[in-house]
Amino acid sequence: MKLLVTGASGKVGQVFLPAFLDEPRFSRWDVVALCNNRPVETRARLSVVQGSIADAQTVSRALDGVTHVLHLAAVKESPDRAIDVALKGLFLLLEGFRHKADARQFILLSGDCVVGHVFQKYADPITEQSPRKAYKGSYALTKVLEEVMLEQFGIQYGLNWTTLRAPWVMEKDDFRFAFDLSDAQFGGPSWDEIVEPERLAQLRCQRAFPVMRDAEGRPLKRGFIHVDDLVRAILASIDNEKAFGELFNIAMNEPVDYRRAADLAARVADLAPCDVETSFHSNWLDNSKARKVLGWTPDIDLSGLIDRAWSYRRAENDPRIIWYPG
């Protein structure tokens, strides 16, 4: 068996590759990483194809001998690259892969942007049957189109596909800096977009922990997943016939309650909870299907996220880099 991984040098790919190569179930598998801007180091059973996913010849070389594909590559808010990378690239991969005599499974990593996470309102927990309602922007749109394209290749050509839909992926100290009120904030939206400048300055001086409140005035609830749990879900899906033709929500068992997060952070970092009003909506990405079908359960809960984030100390050679394009 041979697995092609796109986006192997990204946040998920960097954790996935060593986990896959060290997993006894895949000890006889080879891996090829299709890399563009940031190559990965080769090691036993791992080779690299350098080039753009939007180039047909590069994709053809990468697919040589491949039986399984794990598509992690994505671009964020880069409209000038969205069509080439997210749509043309996926189409080239699928079109080339479906002609392979040994093609067995194509796995797509998607995100809860396709259901709008905090930007769209749902009356019930979000399941795999909930309607897709992307928020504004090219990234969410391309993820919706990717999910639909993959499903259609399954319908049109009988391709075995699996889609794993994840919320905000955390690693290292990401969770800590997602709530940081300084310019070191990780992710968005930026605090200066939802907090008045004078109040934001006060909160920064007070060592505050922002407790976002949703449109109904309650502490916001939002989905998260630690990268280690996501990687375990990917491993559980690979060559798993129960996963063929299926979409799975890969999230924590419960969404993060921002008030509870603030209470826990106060214990470990002496931060004072402070309410921040927003127009966002609380949502629950239901992972019941993944737990039942894949036999997967996330290990890291809210307490684990906080403990890991506040205890992690970055080395000088481990800067926080957010790679949007490529």
Side-chain angles (χ1 to χ4, degrees):
M1 299 290 187
K2 187 176 184 181
L3 173 68
L4 168 63
V5 182
T6 70
S9 59
K11 174 187 286 187
V12 179
Q14 290 182 25
V15 178
F16 170 79
L17 278 181
F20 178 86
L21 292 169
D22 292 341
E23 171 59 46
R25 184 161 72 93
F26 305 114
S27 61
R28 295 183 178 274
W29 290 47
D30 292 319
V31 185
V32 56
L34 173 55
C35 301
N36 188 16
N37 294 329
R38 308 181 306 279
V40 297
E41 293 185 9
T42 58
R43 54 181 279 188
R45 298 164 43 222
L46 171 63
S47 60
V48 174
V49 170
Q50 191 79 27
S52 171
I53 194 174
D55 178 71
Q57 292 184 344
T58 299
V59 171
S60 179
R61 286 190 290 117
L63 284 171
D64 184 34
V66 165
T67 58
H68 297 69
V69 176
L70 172 60
H71 186 40
L72 304 176
V75 291
K76 294 287 184 178
E77 295 306 333
S78 303
D80 57 326
R81 306 189 64 189
I83 299 300
D84 274 351
V85 175
L87 300 182
K88 181 181 178 181
L90 177 58
F91 176 79
L92 290 175
L93 280 171
L94 288 169
E95 186 66 12
F97 187 60
R98 77 174 179 88
H99 288 289
K100 298 290 182 182
D102 296 331
R104 183 159 172 84
Q105 183 188 25
F106 193 109
I107 301 175
L108 168 69
L109 178 61
S110 186
D112 68 349
C113 58
V114 303
V115 290
H117 58 78
V118 297
F119 295 97
Q120 300 286 6
K121 185 176 182 178
Y122 291 81
D124 301 305
I126 300 171
T127 70
E128 291 79 3
Q129 286 74 44
S130 298
R132 296 180 177 96
K133 296 192 294 186
Y135 59 78
K136 295 178 181 179
S138 59
Y139 175 61
L141 175 62
T142 57
K143 281 300 178 185
V144 169
L145 297 176
E146 284 181 355
E147 286 193 8
V148 174
M149 189 190 305
L150 182 57
E151 291 171 4
Q152 290 303 310
F153 265 76
I155 293 170
Q156 292 179 279
Y157 306 110
L159 183 71
N160 290 329
W161 61 271
T162 303
T163 296
L164 305 179
R165 184 187 287 168
W168 200 356
V169 180
M170 297 285 106
E171 68 160 358
K172 300 176 179 176
D173 55 4
D174 285 351
F175 194 73
R176 172 184 174 187
F177 282 91
F179 296 93
D180 192 290
L181 289 166
S182 73
D183 293 336
Q185 178 189 4
F186 171 71
S190 176
W191 296 117
D192 57 17
E193 296 178 12
I194 55 178
V195 181
E196 293 295 328
E198 183 176 345
R199 183 165 186 247
L200 181 57
Q202 293 175 346
L203 294 179
R204 286 172 171 170
C205 292
Q206 295 170 3
R207 285 181 49 80
F209 186 99
V211 181
M212 286 191 188
R213 291 194 169 271
D214 63 22
E216 297 181 1
R218 298 172 299 194
L220 185 70
K221 293 183 179 181
R222 178 181 180 175
F224 288 84
I225 189 71
H226 193 277
V227 67
D228 290 347
D229 282 331
L230 175 56
V231 165
R232 289 195 306 103
I234 296 173
L235 293 174
S237 302
I238 296 176
D239 208 42
N240 183 346
E241 293 186 1
K242 293 181 180 179
F244 291 177
E246 299 292 346
L247 163 66
F248 298 97
N249 290 334
I250 306 298
M252 294 167 60
N253 290 335
E254 296 183 356
V256 166
D257 182 309
Y258 277 44
R259 178 67 207 196
R260 183 163 179 261
D263 291 341
L264 292 173
R267 300 176 191 173
V268 301
D270 194 27
L271 298 175
C274 182
D275 289 342
V276 173
E277 305 299 323
T278 76
S279 60
F280 300 144
H281 300 284
S282 292
N283 283 315
W284 185 323
L285 196 65
D286 187 347
N287 69 4
S288 299
K289 180 178 176 181
R291 288 188 284 118
K292 180 178 180 180
V293 177
L294 299 177
W296 165 87
T297 301
D299 288 335
I300 302 169
D301 59 8
L302 175 56
S303 296
L305 279 181
I306 289 178
D307 289 343
R308 289 173 180 237
W310 264 267
S311 63
Y312 189 86
R313 296 293 178 267
R314 287 183 181 267
E316 292 184 3
N317 62 349
D318 183 27
R320 175 178 291 102
I321 302 175
I322 301 175
W323 298 96
Y324 282 153

